[in-house]
Amino acid sequence: MKKIIYTLLALMPLTAMAQKENKDLNKQVEVSRAYEPTINDASKLNIMPKITDTLKLAPTFKYSIFSKPLESSFPVKQIPAAKLVAEPKPDLYNFYIRGGIGNYMSTLFDIYYNSPRNEAYSYGMYFNHRASTGKVGLENGPDVNTNNSKNQVAIFGKKIFDKAILNGGVSYTRNKNLFYGVNYSDPKNKDYSFNKDSLTQYFNNVRVDLGIKSFYLDSTHINYKGFVAYDYYNDKADFVENHFNVGGEVYKFFPKDYMGVGLNILHIGKSGSFDTVSNTVVSIAPMLKKYGDIYTASIGVNFTNDSWGVNGKSYFFPVGHLTIDAAGNFFVPYIKIGGYLEVNSYKKITTENPFVLPSLYVENTAHKMVLTGGIKGNVSASVSYNVWGGYELIDHQYFFINHYNKTAKRNLYNNFNVIYDDIQKTTFGGEVAVAVKNYLEIGARAEVFNYSLDNEEKAWGMPNFEMALNASYRHSQKLKFSASIFAIGNRYAKNIGPTITTPIKLKSFVDANIGCEYSFTRRLNAFININNIFNSSYDTYYLYPAYGVNGMVGVSYSF
């Protein structure tokens, strides 16, 4: 407290001196401009007041509708149907003629006739001719003629009724070939004089067939189809086969189902000096199909009875399939199971291999189980594909082997006999098709095979690989090109002779072909085809070499 008092006493003289100085100040004020008062902005609040109402009212309505039709006094007039101008129909020519000539003394001639356009019926005829007499070189032997030809003439017709179609035809076929595959590597055949007259073979086939099929579109009717056919088939040795075939099917469509049963009866009568045993095959196949939103399925059975002479055997083949389409045809997996009896008539065998022994008898083959599964689909409107794998269980599969007679003084090896074995066959394959508008088409297919046999060392004559590629390109309305490539993998021939040796390997080969067609007018065209452009050397069957590079030029005319 004392410190405070002492401090105040010390400051009092200083205060007195300051007051004395203020009395001497000049208090005159000089104003340079008028006084302008200002007011500073006040700080404002931007928060708007909000009232929260906790009471909610729900409006209620009561109303009713009194319907009353609105009558119009305007009469309704019928509008006449619009008339569409009929699209112009393309010109149809009744006749088509084509002819050509090439190396190896090859000739081609075709003629076709079709009736004028008619909605109730149609009829026509055709004649086809193919022939070649060129020479090929035999291993360790001379160049020999092949002398092969194929000729066919046929007439056919069709009648369209309100709910059915009746069709039928008559045809005659004559095929000729030469047993030119003589084995000159055998020392006993070194001095053999090739005589084409004694080695000639020919086959005649007369066929008559008649068929009918209904086409009811509603599910209240039962549809049907049936046929009857007769074939007369003989060869140079006057061996005769008479084929009587009758069959049909009765089926009915439901909204999402299909139910039907099929019947087929085939009788083959034979007459000749080698084989007179007749064969009758009867098959009954009921089937049930189901159509779902994303799938189709079927299940059935094939009952088959095979009778030859006084012997007979029955088979029970399950049949079914399942297809699932859950991706709009882009990815469609499927699986199929089936089985069938392969009837090995003389007509069927000689069509497959015309160099077999005259009047050769081949027993039927039972495909006891055929299982296939894969994926197919359309990548786009222009590209489609299919890949698959398969397994077959086959009883009594036949294989072609060169004929050898132990008691004969000379064996030419130019005919084929058959041997049998039970096999298991596995297949993997794929195919693709490309179609770009109307000017480019490409198709490719390849398959790989594997065989498991019970007794034989090899699947004689059967390839382990097959491939085919076909393409066509239309450069303009007048010019079109085509090409094809075929490839066959390794095959083996059984070495038949006085001593048993190792199998004979038939090497793989590629056969490529090209063609061109030019249109002078809509009626007149010219073409050129060149086959085996790489001049590949290969045997169609063991000891039967094929032609090297060969070509043909020709013209066609429509009128």
Side-chain angles (χ1 to χ4, degrees), residues 467-478:
M467 187 275 289
L469 173 65
N470 296 279
S472 65
Y473 172 70
R474 180 171 292 279
H475 180 266
S476 63
Q477 290 296 327
K478 291 183 174 293

Side-chain angles (χ1 to χ4, degrees), residues 495-512:
N495 199 338
I496 303 295
T499 59
I500 303 299
T501 58
T502 58
I504 302 171
K505 184 178 181 179
L506 305 180
K507 62 180 182 180
S508 59
F509 65 89
V510 176
D511 191 335

Side-chain angles (χ1 to χ4, degrees), residues 216-260:
Y216 291 105
L217 301 179
D218 58 279
S219 59
T220 60
H221 289 82
I222 296 177
N223 279 284
Y224 59 88
K225 58 182 177 181
F227 69 91
V228 59
Y230 169 73
D231 285 270
Y232 175 86
Y233 192 79
N234 75 333
D235 65 0
K236 182 182 178 181
D238 288 331
F239 175 77
V240 177
E241 272 190 349
N242 291 282
H243 293 228
F244 298 92
N245 194 193
V246 60
E249 184 178 356
V250 177
Y251 55 97
K252 183 177 175 61
F253 287 102
F254 298 93
K256 290 188 177 183
D257 297 299
Y258 163 95
M259 183 180 297

Side-chain angles (χ1 to χ4, degrees), residues 277-292:
V277 178
S278 62
N279 183 206
T280 302
V281 179
V282 179
S283 298
I284 301 175
M287 176 69 69
L288 175 64
K289 297 181 181 179
K290 183 75 174 178
Y291 302 94

